[in-house]
Amino acid sequence: MRVCNGGFEKEFIDDNRNMYAIAFTQNVLSGRWKYFIIWFLEGETRRFTEIKKFLGGLSQGSLTKQLKELENDGVIKRDVYSEVPPRVEYSLTEKGVKLLPVLKQMEAFGKEYGEKPERGKG
């Protein structure tokens, strides 16, 4: 798996394991809507149309791409039911559930620092 344009050499990964772990997680979560999809699936199985409605103006193609990437990374599970019309449901995998604390930390950070702009602080 690549986590930057050229990927990382094995020696670099071995020498910088902690940084690589952060880059790996960033790669799994990269994408404007992935955080919200994971958050929305917490504890519930959802249909494609529910996710699309929740995300508002997101195009069907963009949502499909984000869902496919999350599925390929093992974060969500896609179940297709042979019905007319076909029913497709998404839920978090064990790996996806393990990402929830990351989102909770991001939420806590945003609540603490995102409410008001801080000037002159770095």
Side-chain angles (χ1 to χ4, degrees), residues 61-76:
S62 292
L63 176 56
T64 299
K65 180 180 184 287
Q66 299 282 284
L67 290 168
K68 200 168 282 199
E69 288 174 5
L70 287 167
E71 184 182 8
N72 289 340
D73 285 333
V75 174
I76 64 171

Side-chain angles (χ1 to χ4, degrees), residues 28-47:
V28 170
L29 293 173
S30 69
R32 183 174 182 183
W33 303 101
K34 289 181 182 179
Y35 301 95
F36 302 114
I37 293 167
I38 294 166
W39 180 86
F40 190 60
L41 292 176
E42 179 181 7
E44 284 193 52
T45 297
R46 306 276 189 163
R47 295 179 76 164

Side-chain angles (χ1 to χ4, degrees), residues 1-17 19-21 23:
M1 174 168 95
R2 294 180 183 257
V3 293
C4 67
N5 286 339
F8 290 120
E9 299 292 328
K10 179 166 177 18
E11 182 179 333
F12 179 85
I13 294 168
D14 291 342
D15 293 344
N16 299 283
R17 186 50 92 187
M19 193 279 307
Y20 176 75

Side-chain angles (χ1 to χ4, degrees), residues 94-114:
E94 183 179 333
K95 188 176 183 179
V97 170
K98 288 186 176 195
L99 280 170
L100 292 172
V102 174
L103 298 184
K104 300 284 186 202
Q105 285 296 109
M106 291 173 67
E107 177 186 357
F109 182 86
K111 284 180 177 176
E112 185 172 348
Y113 296 106

